[in-house]
Amino acid sequence: MLTGWRLTLSKCFLIPQRYILGIMGFFAIVNAYTMRVSLSLAITEMVVPINATEYDDPDACIPEYTNSSNSAIKDKSTLYDWDEKTQGLILSSFYWGYVITHLPGGVLAEKFGGKYSLGLGILSTALFTLITPWVIIGTGGNWKALVALRVIEGFGEGTTYPALTALLAKWVPLKERATIGSIVYAGSQFGTILSNAISGELIRRTQDWASVFYFFGGLGVIWFILWVLLCYSDPESHPFITEKEKEYLQRELSGVSSSTLPIPWKAILTSVPMWALVITQVGHDWGFFTMVTDLPKYMKDVLKFNVSQNGIWSSVPYVVMWFSSLASGWLCDFLIRKNIMGLTFSRKFFTSLASMGPAVFILVASYVGCDRMLAVWMFTIAMGFMGCYYCGMKVNALDLSPNFAGTLMAIINGLGATSGIVTPYLAGALTEDHTLVQWRLVFWITFGVFAVTNLVYLVFGTGKEQIWNDPGYKVTVKKGTKEADAEVVNGKNNLEMSSKN
């Protein structure tokens, strides 16, 4: 009877379960980013408006509005006197917690399955997002209380990418990896789009920044309920997957172990391709977090957009980035299937587009002066190129080791996210007077980080599966010789490497 019930349920789904997982994974990241990014625009309306006479900027743009105060908030008692450095600390504090829980999240996802590692992390962030206005108003705008709350939110979201990567390794075949991976990871752009566009309009209509946190926190709770009902950690535990899809995944993912494996920590931590990915992730996150956390501030302080315009135009670059990530994912898989590009070359090619394109066009945007629309288009082109990251280095952890992809992503994304700690505070410290010249320095630094980290990936990156991915892998070192044997026990491979003087 149970089998019949499962068969009936499986027929209710018109698309395969791996795509349902991909769609729900996409919305997981959408929710993660709306809750993470909502403060970036809201904080521009939470602080006492800037008095333009406090500093002299010869390159200053003339605002299109004539009202002396550009604040959209009706209740002025909910505006706080936070300077640029304080705002930088508030924006960066999320990543203090975010970095810490990456590795535990990846290990837990591989040991117990990614379903609840991901789900409970998003739920906790949603609940703390909902209470954010109460904490801020209740403490009279005590920025230290807000920092503490954001650190706790970061703890919850730190499990997101490791858990999702572990899930994708169990569910997605190699030839669909770039497409489904790009769909899932594109949630970061879509979440940023929704957060910026909806936040600006919500604040304008409600004249209250608190509405942003209530709205996105509520969406996070709804997602959690659907996630628990629809998604499972692996095909074997899914109660209503079709036999056809299960057999297909078993065949295509035969190299991925369904049992819990001991993690080869030494091999992972001494892997050159893994560290190349870490460095490249730092470069990606440096550029992406600079844009995500600071573009709304640039739009308001330099280009002088009001809150509604700020929300719309800050979201446009991520619309293009979203479409770009989906298109580049499909193109990458197509080129690999047709043997037009090898796996390693394709990863490096698309990663290079995603590094140097943004590096150039973000910098150009700071040299177009007060031509607002041209600046927006330069930022848009930059983020369009950045969409190529997801079929490049972002899915590369799955190439290196499907069995330990969650742990790899925990290390890579966790260390990369340290950029989120540095960039908001650095931007705040370097732009205390809100001048265009100060912001240009921020973008020059971003250019340099992109260029250096991409060069490292070109030299040391690879798409080849690493030998330590095999469940039977072990390393033995023969004493008294220069010879080291890396071998797979009871497996398909046996590799002997020797190093000589």
Side-chain angles (χ1 to χ4, degrees), residues 205-356:
R205 289 182 178 275
T206 63
Q207 297 182 318
D208 182 9
W209 51 260
S211 58
V212 171
F213 300 98
Y214 297 141
F215 181 79
F216 291 120
L219 287 182
V221 173
I222 293 171
W223 172 89
F224 173 76
I225 295 170
L226 294 174
W227 173 257
V228 170
L229 294 174
L230 294 174
C231 296
Y232 293 81
S233 293
D234 52 59
E236 289 72 24
S237 64
H238 204 298
F240 37 86
I241 187 174
T242 63
E243 287 301 317
K244 180 180 179 181
E245 184 181 8
K246 184 183 287 187
E247 290 172 3
Y248 169 74
L249 293 176
Q250 286 173 345
R251 184 173 62 253
E252 293 293 322
L253 296 170
S254 59
V256 180
S257 175
S258 59
S259 59
T260 302
L261 300 173
I263 299 171
W265 287 111
K266 183 177 180 181
I268 289 174
L269 295 177
T270 55
S271 170
V272 173
M274 193 281 292
W275 284 108
L277 266 183
V278 169
I279 293 170
T280 314
Q281 184 73 50
V282 168
H284 167 262
D285 285 357
W286 188 286
F288 189 68
F289 292 148
T290 295
M291 294 294 287
V292 165
T293 59
D294 294 315
L295 184 58
K297 290 169 65 63
Y298 184 84
M299 292 282 197
K300 181 176 182 178
D301 294 347
V302 176
L303 299 180
K304 307 297 184 184
F305 286 118
N306 63 38
V307 65
S308 185
Q309 293 171 327
N310 193 346
I312 293 170
W313 294 120
S314 291
S315 66
V316 167
Y318 303 100
V319 175
V320 175
M321 185 179 179
W322 182 50
F323 283 111
S324 169
S325 64
L326 297 179
S328 61
W330 174 86
L331 178 61
C332 182
D333 277 341
F334 173 81
L335 294 172
I336 292 170
R337 280 197 307 269
K338 297 295 183 180
N339 293 319
I340 298 172
M341 284 186 181
L343 187 63
T344 295
F345 182 83
S346 69
R347 298 294 187 243
K348 292 182 177 182
F349 175 77
F350 284 99
T351 298
S352 295
L353 287 179
S355 296
M356 299 318 299

Side-chain angles (χ1 to χ4, degrees), residues 22-36:
I23 292 167
M24 289 301 295
F26 164 78
F27 282 113
I29 296 185
V30 168
N31 277 283
Y33 268 80
T34 57
M35 293 184 288
R36 181 191 310 186

Side-chain angles (χ1 to χ4, degrees), residues 15 34 38 69 111 113 192 194 203 228 298 320 347 392 498:
I15 60 176
T34 57
S38 55
S69 172
K111 188 172 184 179
T192 307
L194 288 181
I203 292 172
V228 170
Y298 184 84
V320 175
R347 298 294 187 243
S498 63

Side-chain angles (χ1 to χ4, degrees), residues 31-40 87-102 121-122 124-126 128-129 132 146-161 289 292-293 413 417-418 420-422 424:
N31 277 283
Y33 268 80
T34 57
M35 293 184 288
R36 181 191 310 186
V37 175
S38 55
L39 182 62
S40 297
Q87 292 178 53
L89 281 172
I90 292 169
L91 290 171
S92 70
S93 59
F94 173 91
Y95 298 97
W96 305 352
Y98 183 70
V99 169
I100 292 172
T101 53
H102 263 68
I122 297 291
S124 67
T125 306
F128 284 112
T129 298
T132 296
L146 178 56
V147 163
L149 184 66
R150 292 289 288 180
V151 171
I152 296 171
E153 288 182 29
F155 285 148
E157 270 196 34
T159 64
T160 302
Y161 278 99
F289 292 148
V292 165
T293 59
N413 211 64
T418 55
I421 298 173
V422 177

